[in-house]
Amino acid sequence: MKRFLQEDAVGTCISRLVTVIFLLTTLGAPLAFAQQEGEVAAAPALGEMDLEQLTNLKVEQVYGVSKFEQAVTEAPASVSVITADEIKHYGWRTLADVIRSSRGFFTSYDRNYSYIGTRGFSRPGDYNTRVLLLVDGHRINDVIYETAAIGTEFILDLALIDRIEIIRGPSSSLYGAGAFFGVINVITRSAKQIEGGEAAASGGSQQTGAGRLTYGKSFNGGEFVASGSAYKSRGNDSLFYPEFNDPATNNGIASNMDRDRNYSLFASGRLHDFTLTGALVSRDKRIPTASFNTIFNDPRTHSVDRRSYLDLKYDKALEGGTGVTARLFYDEYRYHGNFAYERGSDDPGFYPPTYLNRDEHLARWWGGEAQASRQILPRLQLTAGASFRDSFQKLPNYDAVPQGRRVENDHSDLFLALFGQGELRLFEHLIVNVGVRHDHYQTFGGATSPRLAVIYTPVEGTVFKYIEGKAFRAPNAYELYYNDVFDTNVANPRLAPETVRTRELIYEQYLGEVLRTSLSLFQNKIENLISYQDLPSGEVSFGNAGRVKAVGGEFEVEGQWASGFAARTSYSFVSARDERQDQRLDYSPRQLAKLNLTAPLYRKELFAGVELQGTARRDFSHNGVQTAAPGYLIANATLFSTGILPSLDLSLSVYNFLDRRYQDPATTDHRQSLIAQDGRTFRVQATYRF
């Protein structure tokens, strides 16, 4: 009964939150922000706007949906664009913070990695493999785990981001494997936007500190950007886990086990039509939860992630409306997982009472892609391209201290792909977009991914979109081949790719430069879902064991006024079922609600940003026991100033300022069923431009 009361209470809060912000958004223009002398007047209320104002649309441009620049109203997807100003005004620290604030998305954190959930779907053992992450069009998902890294292991400092395109729905017709539920395309700032130097420093709770130096310079025919960042946090000094509440395990207290350190480098240079970009991030994180049955409160248990790439891109607009893009790339990913264990009865007798087991994984891959886009007829645009990738992966597991058992897992893979897309404007207000891609892998063969979109604009500002498509996710090297010296993981090289078929109906309404509303109704059908399976022998393996159907809807209202006041709210509801088990899909909330408000406090130099995030209860089975993570509503607030002091930006952010205690579900790799999240924390940050 208590669980239902908790979900009902959160649901009531979500309902009230949506109602209040809808009224605030639609009626908010008359709010009396006292105008300072010389300040821009607030926009008129919706009821006071004339026809010219209502149809004076402000429509954003996106690139990632079709691999060419287009108005978001003509893009064959439901898209959100997050700007650099929003990142500043809400004090977001990681890409996970950005995603968590976006319509239809949620995240969870096991105090090592952050995981993406979307449209009612989140699976244990999934390292964000079903969302494709791009930086300036370069694929960031690695080739071992196919991870979209969104925490402190993300390859960019958020200050280097110009905007983020969040593209919902399958996009395998253009991007192939991984674009299963959507694409997150991160676009970096240009040298013209920086034009000089920036120095930033921040500090906050849990002895957290960070610093950044950035330089950008544009010149005739080119530009150059270079940046370096470092981050260090002691983390939560004392984390209590009742599952380990015993004097032999420090009474369940993990002391100084939450430490997090990283550094990142980024450089990009453009000369005429060529752009060379390089990036690197290295993160070292202690693991306080004693996952994988490691020794509790042992600082030797930690993970190290190192990701880097080089990307050479050619982009040329030719005569006759033809555009050509080509790139060559080289990528590398290293993962070191160090795990402290007590000697067991099956361990060699010469082992000491405790020893260190290690994953030392390495992947290197290179490849290229090319595409051309041409306006064949006044109403027809065609895009075609090809890509390939050659990769090598090493996945050894061994006992390091002392040296003992060792399992080798070395593999290579080659894939080739061809894709094409046509956009036909049948009438002035009707667009048909058709795309298809075929990928061929050494491991399992081929996969074909089509997409059809019909976009209808009966009057300016009103847009209807119908999208139908199929996407796939190839089994990754970790799922196919990984085993360890304990023989607890069984490799399954016969895994087949999982597929999703989706239908989505989107209605978007624009009201001048002030309001935008969006309503999406969708259905996803997933076949051959790759999931953990408990074998009769007690071992674990990945298998094609699932068939899932999810039906849901998302509603969003967004307002932006000339005074600087902005508001955005969204509500999502999804019913997802495991059809083979005939039960609700676990680990996922049925309801999400988001609210973001930005208000200018003094001219356009001092802003306040507030966000509320409501997540409903998440039911799941943990080691055979049915449990739930209760729903929660958390609030964050930021004060941000720019221009009050010349060339200096200052911000103060308080996260979870109501100090709510909430938890995320744990996977079966943990003894805990729930992982407690941080209470109230803060950060202060200063950025100086020179």
Side-chain angles (χ1 to χ4, degrees):
M1 176 64 71
K2 184 177 179 181
R3 290 180 184 170
F4 289 104
L5 289 175
Q6 287 170 329
E7 183 171 38
D8 184 63
V10 173
T12 301
C13 289
I14 289 173
S15 176
R16 290 176 179 173
L17 186 157
V18 172
T19 302
V20 169
I21 187 53
F22 179 80
L23 293 174
L24 180 60
T25 306
T26 54
L27 304 175
L31 290 176
F33 286 109
Q35 295 182 16
Q36 306 294 328
E37 185 176 354
E39 188 176 358
V40 178
L46 181 60
E48 299 172 357
M49 297 172 66
D50 59 27
L51 181 60
E52 183 179 356
Q53 290 172 307
L54 285 171
T55 58
N56 184 19
L57 298 180
K58 182 181 180 182
V59 178
E60 294 168 311
Q61 300 287 307
V62 293
Y63 178 86
V65 182
S66 300
K67 287 193 174 183
F68 59 80
E69 203 81 17
Q70 63 185 154
V72 70
T73 52
E74 298 182 355
S78 175
V79 186
S80 296
V81 179
I82 308 297
T83 65
D85 283 342
E86 289 180 276
I87 294 173
K88 295 175 183 177
H89 291 169
Y90 296 114
W92 292 326
R93 300 156 294 181
T94 65
L95 188 58
D97 288 344
V98 178
I99 294 170
R100 191 182 303 119
S101 73
S102 301
R103 165 171 46 97
F105 283 84
F106 61 98
T107 65
S108 58
Y109 177 54
D110 65 1
R111 308 212 75 89
N112 191 13
Y113 298 106
S114 294
Y115 305 94
I116 301 173
T118 180
R119 294 191 165 179
F121 192 93
S122 177
R123 302 306 299 152
D126 173 29
Y127 293 97
N128 300 337
T129 61
R130 296 173 175 91
V131 175
L132 179 62
L133 178 58
L134 307 172
V135 171
D136 293 328
H138 184 96
R139 186 186 187 100
I140 300 300
N141 302 61
D142 64 84
V143 298
I144 294 179
Y145 305 95
E146 289 292 337
T147 300
I150 61 171
T152 53
E153 73 279 10
F154 177 52
I155 203 163
L156 280 183
D157 190 302
L158 289 197
L160 298 176
I161 295 175
D162 174 52
R163 68 185 188 276
I164 301 171
E165 299 172 351
I166 298 179
I167 303 163
R168 298 169 183 83
S171 298
S172 289
S173 62
L174 278 179
Y175 293 103
F180 198 77
F181 285 130
V183 176
I184 299 173
N185 186 29
V186 177
I187 299 169
T188 59
R189 296 165 65 193
S190 66
K192 290 182 179 179
Q193 293 171 304
I194 301 170
E195 208 60 56
E198 290 182 355
S202 65
S205 303
Q206 303 175 352
Q207 299 183 37
T208 300
R212 174 180 60 89
L213 284 174
T214 302
Y215 180 77
K217 181 67 176 178
S218 60
F219 52 88
N220 187 25
E223 61 178 35
F224 176 76
V225 175
S227 184
S229 303
Y231 170 88
K232 181 179 180 180
S233 177
R234 184 180 176 89
N236 200 314
D237 275 337
S238 181
L239 292 166
F240 175 65
Y241 297 105
E243 295 82 1
F244 295 93
N245 190 7
D246 187 277
T249 51
N250 200 34
N251 296 310
I253 298 173
S255 301
N256 192 25
M257 283 292 296
D258 202 27
R259 189 192 68 186
D260 192 347
R261 299 176 178 175
N262 78 16
Y263 66 87
S264 62
L265 302 171
F266 175 83
S268 181
R270 179 180 62 84
L271 184 61
H272 301 296
D273 302 318
F274 289 91
T275 302
L276 179 63
T277 302
L280 177 148
V281 64
S282 181
R283 187 198 70 151
D284 185 342
K285 179 68 174 68
R286 284 183 182 168
I287 306 172
T289 56
S291 54
F292 301 103
N293 296 314
T294 54
I295 299 173
F296 184 77
N297 200 39
D298 192 317
R300 292 177 295 175
T301 299
H302 68 110
S303 62
V304 179
D305 294 87
R306 184 184 176 96
R307 178 75 169 88
S308 58
Y309 72 86
L310 284 173
D311 184 289
L312 178 62
K313 178 181 177 181
Y314 173 77
D315 194 356
K316 180 72 172 179
L318 305 176
E319 294 183 2
T322 301
V324 176
T325 302
R327 67 184 346 129
L328 292 172
F329 55 83
Y330 173 82
D331 290 65
E332 184 174 288
Y333 173 67
R334 294 177 181 269
Y335 167 74
H336 291 173
N338 297 277
F339 307 100
Y341 285 98
E342 294 180 344
R343 186 178 66 194
S345 59
D346 295 332
D347 294 325
F350 66 89
Y351 275 31
T354 67
Y355 64 94
L356 196 66
N357 177 266
R358 179 175 295 163
D359 284 330
E360 194 167 306
H361 298 170
L362 168 66
R364 295 190 176 104
W365 63 101
W366 75 282
E369 63 181 37
Q371 76 170 52
S373 181
R374 182 177 177 83
Q375 195 82 24
I376 301 296
L377 299 171
R379 295 180 179 270
L380 177 63
Q381 181 162 344
L382 296 179
T383 302
S387 64
F388 77 94
R389 185 183 71 201
D390 188 13
S391 64
F392 172 73
Q393 309 106 25
K394 294 172 63 73
L395 287 82
N397 176 263
Y398 60 93
D399 293 332
V401 182
Q403 293 185 0
R405 300 165 297 188
R406 186 180 183 97
V407 174
E408 297 286 356
N409 291 296
D410 295 356
H411 301 274
S412 61
D413 190 21
L414 174 69
F415 95 83
L416 306 169
L418 296 172
F419 61 89
Q421 178 178 272
E423 182 180 279
L424 176 62
R425 192 177 296 271
L426 289 174
F427 306 102
E428 185 65 28
H429 303 297
L430 182 63
I431 298 174
V432 176
N433 187 296
V434 179
V436 64
R437 173 170 168 141
H438 182 78
D439 294 78
H440 186 83
Y441 285 75
Q442 281 184 326
T443 51
F444 64 84
T448 301
S449 306
R451 179 175 68 180
L452 167 68
V454 179
I455 302 165
Y456 177 54
T457 308
V459 295
E460 187 177 12
T462 300
V463 183
F464 293 95
K465 302 178 182 180
Y466 174 77
I467 302 162
E468 184 172 345
K470 179 183 177 183
F472 78 101
R473 184 178 77 86
N476 57 53
Y478 173 68
E479 294 165 337
L480 287 166
Y481 307 122
Y482 180 73
N483 195 7
D484 56 29
V485 300
F486 310 106
D487 285 327
T488 55
N489 289 273
V490 178
N492 186 0
R494 295 183 300 276
L495 276 176
E498 59 186 28
T499 61
V500 60
R501 294 180 179 273
T502 186
R503 293 183 176 91
E504 184 169 5
L505 180 63
I506 302 167
Y507 164 61
E508 297 175 347
Q509 183 66 58
Y510 291 78
L511 297 172
E513 297 186 1
V514 178
L515 283 178
R516 171 185 175 268
T517 64
S518 175
L519 173 65
S520 298
L521 303 174
F522 58 85
Q523 174 185 274
N524 294 327
K525 290 185 176 181
I526 303 171
E527 297 284 348
N528 291 328
L529 178 67
I530 299 173
S531 288
Y532 270 139
Q533 291 181 326
D534 294 322
L535 303 179
S537 59
E539 299 164 322
V540 174
S541 179
F542 285 96
N544 295 108
R547 184 171 69 236
V548 174
K549 180 178 179 180
V551 178
E554 299 169 350
F555 177 67
E556 184 173 64
V557 182
E558 185 174 5
Q560 196 163 26
W561 286 263
S563 63
F565 177 79
R568 182 176 71 245
T569 186
S570 66
Y571 171 76
S572 306
F573 177 85
V574 182
S575 175
R577 296 193 63 83
D578 184 331
E579 294 192 321
R580 291 186 178 176
Q581 300 292 331
D582 192 25
Q583 63 185 25
R584 276 178 56 179
L585 190 66
D586 54 8
Y587 284 94
S588 300
R590 291 170 67 90
Q591 299 181 78
L592 296 170
K594 314 290 175 70
L595 165 64
N596 289 74
L597 293 171
T598 301
L601 302 182
Y602 176 72
R603 299 187 177 179
K604 291 191 177 180
E605 298 173 353
L606 179 63
F607 289 86
V610 177
E611 60 177 343
L612 301 178
Q613 297 172 358
T615 302
R617 191 185 74 215
R618 287 168 283 178
D619 297 294
F620 62 102
S621 177
H622 184 266
N623 295 324
V625 178
Q626 194 66 26
T627 186
Y632 61 85
L633 182 66
I634 60 171
N636 306 317
T638 294
L639 283 176
F640 175 79
S641 73
T642 180
I644 291 180
L645 296 176
S647 303
L648 183 66
D649 292 346
L650 298 170
S651 69
L652 167 63
S653 298
V654 182
Y655 308 98
N656 191 7
F657 67 76
L658 298 177
D659 202 25
R660 299 297 190 195
R661 302 300 176 183
Y662 69 104
Q663 301 164 308
D664 282 337
T667 65
T668 54
D669 302 326
H670 299 80
R671 185 185 298 182
Q672 307 93 323
S673 59
L674 298 170
I675 305 294
Q677 303 301 299
D678 287 335
R680 184 186 298 114
T681 58
F682 74 92
R683 183 189 70 169
V684 293
Q685 181 169 263
T687 302
Y688 179 70
R689 298 180 296 277
F690 56 92

